[in-house]
Amino acid sequence: MSAADAAADLAELLEQPSLEPPSGVTPDFVNNGGSHTIGYFVVIFCGVLSTLALLSRLGSRISPRKIRTEDVFLFIAYGLFVGYIYVIYEWSIYPGIRVHLWNLPLKNLESFSYGVHLASVFYGLSIMFLKAAILMDWLQIFVPTGQRNLLFWVLHILIWCNILFFASGTFIEIFRCHPRENIWNPLFEGGSCPVDIKAKNMASGLINLVSDLTILLAPQWVIWHSNALRTRKLGVSLLFIIGIFATACGIVRLVVLLELMGSADELYYIPDIGLWGIGEITSGFLIIGIPSAPKTIKSMPGSESVTSLLTSWRAPTTNR
């Protein structure tokens, strides 16, 4: 076969569907049935909320002497989160959300697969730094200075377990195929991918959900057994309603991952997983950012009336 014939065959192959459609279904590359609005809304809305939460936190740390390790981690998490939502925003533009894989030409599959790879890396690292920031902040809030009580050790164990888990998971994602091009290039020949990525993602989703639940419940005993006013206890516990939403996002992600386990139609499920991941990470930014809002708003002109509405969100105790 001549080079010209091979090139013609390849060009024809690239115009074929990325997945064989079910019997009786005709692939449609023009009207692929995808939704764009939901992707735009989730990315923009959650992006704005996360940015406001970050600014609220940093606004309460204007003095460089008040910047702590958790604030640096929070900023790193935000930068990685921006990369994550950018990938999903690109999917929202094309091909859209909930598009079947047979409605995507093979020539565009490599771009989508590379985006999946990038999103996985950004998600793992972003949530690693974000959870570490939240847990380190709770050490400052809920553990009195100099004490080594049960909560101190629980939070330290959670910090290091989350760092080890997400760092190792990200490492596996980056190097799961050799050569790495095998991860995203559907036409790559040779090499190996020994990791069952669907099983790995399912296990990761389950462990992440357990982590969310543990982080959510860990400080509750301290909150309700402290000497803080009941209104402040309720205010802080309202933050954990956001934590419940984050956990709910993790549960839905797990359900969609379970559906993906039994399907080759990755394009239909993966963007949904990405959107629920945005909700989960945004909740984390709100949990660490909202308690700083009263102090940040109080420093602004004419803010007294607004501050009074947010005072109940403050932490029940401060000791550092």
Side-chain angles (χ1 to χ4, degrees):
M1 179 183 293
S2 67
D5 290 337
D9 289 345
L10 177 60
E12 183 179 355
L13 175 64
L14 292 174
E15 295 299 330
Q16 299 301 308
S18 296
L19 180 68
E20 188 70 23
S23 178
V25 175
T26 302
D28 190 341
F29 299 153
V30 178
N31 300 306
N32 60 20
S35 170
H36 305 281
T37 305
I38 187 172
Y40 297 151
F41 174 77
V42 172
V43 167
I44 294 172
F45 181 70
C46 291
V48 169
L49 284 183
S50 299
T51 301
L52 291 175
L54 177 72
L55 292 176
S56 173
R57 174 72 179 194
L58 296 182
S60 68
R61 305 276 192 233
I62 295 175
S63 170
R65 293 181 180 179
K66 294 183 179 180
I67 298 294
R68 295 196 289 253
T69 304
E70 56 264 36
D71 301 307
V72 176
F73 279 11
L74 184 65
F75 193 77
I76 294 172
Y78 179 80
L80 293 162
F81 180 58
V82 169
Y84 178 66
I85 63 175
Y86 177 78
V87 172
I88 297 173
Y89 185 76
E90 286 288 307
W91 292 344
S92 302
I93 297 173
Y94 180 83
I97 307 299
R98 294 187 177 177
V99 176
H100 290 290
L101 194 53
W102 54 80
N103 288 331
L104 182 78
L106 187 59
K107 64 182 179 182
N108 294 329
L109 180 58
E110 180 176 352
S111 175
F112 172 73
S113 298
Y114 188 68
V116 173
H117 177 60
L118 287 179
S120 298
V121 173
F122 284 139
Y123 172 84
L125 292 177
S126 178
I127 206 163
M128 179 187 76
F129 281 106
L130 181 58
K131 286 188 175 183
I134 292 171
L135 291 167
M136 292 171 73
D137 193 49
W138 286 359
L139 276 172
Q140 302 290 334
I141 294 172
F142 297 116
V143 179
T145 305
Q147 285 196 15
R148 298 293 185 268
N149 56 19
L150 177 61
L151 184 60
F152 173 88
W153 294 113
V154 168
L155 292 176
H156 269 281
I157 290 171
L158 286 173
I159 289 170
W160 289 108
C161 284
N162 275 283
I163 289 175
L164 290 173
F165 169 67
F166 285 108
S168 60
T170 302
F171 181 87
I172 291 171
E173 172 61 36
I174 293 173
F175 298 106
R176 61 187 172 92
C177 291
H178 178 78
R180 293 187 60 245
E181 186 181 352
N182 215 355
I183 296 174
W184 57 81
N185 187 349
L187 300 179
F188 187 86
E189 297 181 355
S192 63
C193 292
V195 177
D196 184 343
I197 193 60
K198 287 186 177 181
K200 177 261 181 188
N201 287 339
M202 187 66 192
S204 296
L206 182 59
I207 295 173
N208 184 46
L209 178 60
V210 172
S211 169
D212 287 345
L213 287 170
T214 308
I215 292 172
L216 176 67
L217 297 175
Q220 288 296 321
W221 191 90
V222 175
I223 292 170
W224 291 100
H225 288 79
S226 69
N227 295 322
L229 294 175
R230 182 175 179 80
T231 54
R232 289 195 173 184
K233 292 179 182 180
L234 290 172
V236 173
S237 289
L238 285 177
L239 289 177
F240 292 91
I241 294 177
I242 302 175
I244 291 172
F245 177 74
T247 304
C249 289
I251 292 172
V252 177
R253 284 185 75 251
L254 197 62
V255 170
V256 181
L257 279 167
L258 185 60
E259 293 176 342
L260 178 60
M261 285 280 290
S263 173
D265 194 3
E266 296 181 351
L267 181 60
Y268 188 82
Y269 294 105
I270 289 177
D272 263 10
I273 295 169
L275 290 177
W276 287 108
I278 290 177
E280 181 184 12
I281 296 175
T282 299
S283 300
F285 279 110
L286 292 175
I287 287 170
I288 198 170
I290 284 179
S292 302
K295 185 174 181 180
T296 301
I297 295 174
K298 190 175 182 179
S299 65
M300 300 177 182
S303 60
E304 291 81 2
S305 59
V306 180
T307 303
S308 63
L309 295 176
L310 295 173
T311 300
S312 64
W313 293 93
R314 282 181 176 273
T317 60
T318 56
N319 42 65
R320 296 188 190 182

